[in-house]
């Protein structure tokens, strides 16, 4: 079959569903970090409950094997046709504004709300400090915007040099399990290598690029999946995932996850001692891409099997997910502080309840903001 020039495709509803679910998981995984870093009271509650702490840390680690991975994959998947429709020059300008403006607003305003509010909260970790000592103007969870700007720039330069039109040729078979296994092994080695520079990442965590300090060791994986997404768009690979293989890889990922959890005695206690942790951590880093492939394949296959109409609430939430991601940290912190002030002293009730409320408020607020035409063009 000859390749045919791409036409303006219908909106891929299942991708909106995935974005909504992934951003909700991102908010949920940040609950423990907000609880530990924002107030001394919630930090003490978490430390005093090792089961909750270990469970939250494992939940965050498992989610981190796939949720940002799949979001970078989707970003790459949607990119080629957008560049084709808009033209390289117009697209580059539009994308720089769409990613750059939220990044600037987040750094200068959104990410400063929490530390500035902490000055007036007696149990906050920054209460009564001098304003020049606060962690202001940090990149925070918007680190991914910096990476997306870089990756989009690379693709636009490549598209400009090649001057080729985007087309869809869906007869090329999907990469087989051997290709994915090999990629997981190579990326696992790179994850170990990147994780070796612990001092570098620790310094980043205390700098204005703090978000990259937490996620920088995964950059090779994110870049790989972004460009795999670009390639997949030309062959509609995401729509053609083998569901049987996806299920089998999910089973493998689940089994490996259970073995790692059992090895670390979680969620029944905080992971082992320092020596044992140094032994297990490289294994976890190496297996992270392998585990993530299974969860990603299962999510893509499941979402297509359960694709909802465009007016479904989950699809609408997917359209609001970018804005929800941008504003969720101050909303999550505010929800936890309010719940604690109202007398919630059980860490499980506080953590789970605050997470659910923050997810709802973040998506609802984003939806309302997108009613404003100027803001909708950005988020």
């Amino acid at each position: 079959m000859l390749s045919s020039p791409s036409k303006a495709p219908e909106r891929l509803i299942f991708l909106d569903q995935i974005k909504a679910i992934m951003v909700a998981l991102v908010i949920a995984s940040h609950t423990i970090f907000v609880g530990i870093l924002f107030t001394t009271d919630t930090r003490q509650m978490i430390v005093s409950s090792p089961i909750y702490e270990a469970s939250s840390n494992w939940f965050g680690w498992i989610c981190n094997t796939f949720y940002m991975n799949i979001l970078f994959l989707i970003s790459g998947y949607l990119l080629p046709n957008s560049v084709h429709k808009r033209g390289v020059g117009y697209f580059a300008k539009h994308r720089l504004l769409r990613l750059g403006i939220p990044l600037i607003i987040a750094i200068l305003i959104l990410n400063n709300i929490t530390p500035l509010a902490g000055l007036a909260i007696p149990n906050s970790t920054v209460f009564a400090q001098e304003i020049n000592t606060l962690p202001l103007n940090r990149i925070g969870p918007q680190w991914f915007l910096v990476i997306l700007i870089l990756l989009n720039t690379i693709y636009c330069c490549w598209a400009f040099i090649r001057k080729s039109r985007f087309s869809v040729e869906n007869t090329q078979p999907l990469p087989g399990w051997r290709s994915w296994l090999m990629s997981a092994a190579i990326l696992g080695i790179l994850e170990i290598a990147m994780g070796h520079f612990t001092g570098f990442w620790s310094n980043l965590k205390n700098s204005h690029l703090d978000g990259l300090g937490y996620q920088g060791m995964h950059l090779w994986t994110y870049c790989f999946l972004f460009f795999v997404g670009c390639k997949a768009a030309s062959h509609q690979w995401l729509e053609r995932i083998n569901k049987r293989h996806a299920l089998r890889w999910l089973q493998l990922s689940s089994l490996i996850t259970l073995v790692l959890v059992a090895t670390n005695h979680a969620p029944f206690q905080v992971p082992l001692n320092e020596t044992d942790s140094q032994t297990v951590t490289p294994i976890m880093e190496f297996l992270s891409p392998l585990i993530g492939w299974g969860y990603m394949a299962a999510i893509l296959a499941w979402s297509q099997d359960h694709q909802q109409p465009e007016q479904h609430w989950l699809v609408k939430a997917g359209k609001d997910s970018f804005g929800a991601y941008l504003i969720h940290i101050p909303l999550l912190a505010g929800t936890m502080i309010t719940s604690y002030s109202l007398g919630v002293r059980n860490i499980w009730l506080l953590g789970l309840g605050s997470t659910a409320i923050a997810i709802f408020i973040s998506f609802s607020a984003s939806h309302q903001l997108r009613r404003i035409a100027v803001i909708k063009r950005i988020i």
Side-chain angles (χ1 to χ4, degrees):
M1 181 183 296
L2 298 176
S3 62
S4 57
S6 62
K7 299 178 181 179
E10 295 182 1
R11 188 179 184 93
L12 298 177
I13 304 300
F14 75 96
L15 295 183
D16 286 322
Q17 297 176 181
I18 292 174
K19 287 189 288 185
I21 296 171
M22 295 305 104
V23 171
L25 289 176
V26 169
I27 298 174
S29 66
H30 284 169
T31 300
I32 187 171
F33 294 107
V34 172
I36 289 176
L37 298 176
F38 189 51
T39 73
T40 55
D41 290 338
T42 53
R43 174 192 293 174
Q44 184 58 43
M45 290 176 66
I46 293 171
V47 172
S48 300
S49 179
I51 296 179
Y52 175 83
E53 183 178 10
S55 299
S56 297
N57 287 333
W58 270 102
F59 172 76
W61 182 83
I62 293 170
C63 288
N64 203 52
T65 64
F66 66 86
Y67 57 14
M68 294 309 301
N69 289 347
I70 201 169
L71 290 176
F72 275 101
L73 178 70
I74 291 173
S75 295
Y77 197 73
L78 299 176
L79 178 62
N81 193 55
S82 295
V83 173
H84 169 73
K85 289 190 299 182
R86 297 173 183 268
V88 175
Y90 180 82
F91 174 84
K93 177 182 177 181
H94 175 268
R95 185 53 57 97
L96 181 61
L97 292 174
R98 192 171 188 271
L99 298 179
I101 292 177
L103 178 62
I104 294 172
I105 292 175
I107 292 175
L108 299 181
I109 300 176
L110 295 175
N111 295 346
N112 290 338
I113 292 175
T114 303
L116 289 174
L119 293 175
I121 300 175
N123 65 342
S124 78
T125 55
V126 297
F127 177 67
Q129 288 188 16
E130 296 291 333
I131 193 168
N132 59 356
T133 64
L134 296 179
L136 299 177
N137 303 326
R138 300 291 181 95
I139 195 172
Q142 284 74 36
W143 61 269
F144 84 101
L145 290 175
V146 176
I147 305 303
L148 277 181
I149 291 173
L150 175 62
L151 295 177
N152 277 260
T153 301
I154 293 173
Y155 181 87
C156 286
C157 291
W158 178 83
F160 177 77
I161 293 171
R162 282 199 63 187
K163 299 185 183 302
S164 59
R165 298 184 63 190
F166 171 69
S167 61
V168 175
E169 195 277 292
N170 58 11
T171 60
Q172 181 170 327
L174 279 72
W177 66 269
R178 290 183 181 85
S179 299
W180 285 105
L181 191 61
M182 186 179 298
S183 70
I186 295 172
L187 290 170
I189 294 172
L190 290 173
E191 294 258 348
I192 294 176
M194 296 286 277
H196 180 71
F197 301 100
T198 53
F200 176 76
W201 303 123
S202 296
N203 291 335
L204 273 185
K205 291 177 183 178
N206 296 318
S207 71
H208 291 287
L209 300 176
D210 55 346
L212 288 173
Y214 289 98
Q215 292 288 341
M217 62 286 297
H218 310 303
L219 287 182
W220 286 112
T221 303
Y222 296 148
C223 293
F224 170 78
L225 287 169
F226 179 86
F227 290 114
V228 165
C230 295
K231 177 66 174 178
S234 298
H235 308 294
Q236 296 183 330
W237 282 344
L238 297 193
E239 294 96 323
R240 298 160 54 204
I241 286 180
N242 187 304
K243 296 179 175 58
R244 182 170 61 88
H245 290 169
L247 177 60
R248 288 186 176 180
W249 205 304
L250 172 63
Q251 293 171 340
L252 175 62
S253 297
S254 301
L255 176 61
I256 296 174
T257 301
L258 290 174
V259 171
L260 290 174
V261 170
T263 301
N264 284 267
H265 301 283
F268 304 106
Q269 64 182 32
V270 176
L272 303 178
N273 55 49
E274 184 176 355
T275 302
D276 292 329
S277 178
Q278 291 176 351
T279 302
V280 174
T281 298
I283 298 175
M284 294 170 61
E285 292 172 346
F286 177 75
L287 292 175
S288 180
L290 177 68
I291 294 171
W293 291 178
Y295 291 128
M296 289 169 58
I299 291 167
L300 288 165
W302 176 88
S303 185
Q304 292 180 67
D305 280 347
H306 298 81
Q307 187 165 261
Q308 302 295 336
E310 189 167 0
Q311 295 304 313
H312 191 270
W313 64 269
L314 186 59
V315 177
K316 292 181 178 179
K319 299 174 184 178
D320 299 325
S321 59
F322 183 38
Y325 188 101
L326 291 174
I327 64 178
H328 78 274
I329 289 294
L331 293 176
L332 182 56
T335 302
M336 293 191 76
I337 289 297
T338 302
S339 300
Y340 184 85
S341 301
L342 293 175
V344 180
R345 296 295 185 270
N346 181 285
I347 187 57
W348 289 94
L349 184 60
L350 178 66
L352 296 176
S354 298
T355 297
I357 295 172
I359 290 173
F360 176 78
I361 295 177
S362 297
F363 279 95
S364 298
S366 176
H367 183 72
Q368 294 303 318
L369 287 172
R370 292 184 74 248
R371 291 177 178 271
I372 303 173
V374 175
I375 296 178
K376 185 177 181 179
R377 294 182 63 183
I378 301 174
I379 65 171

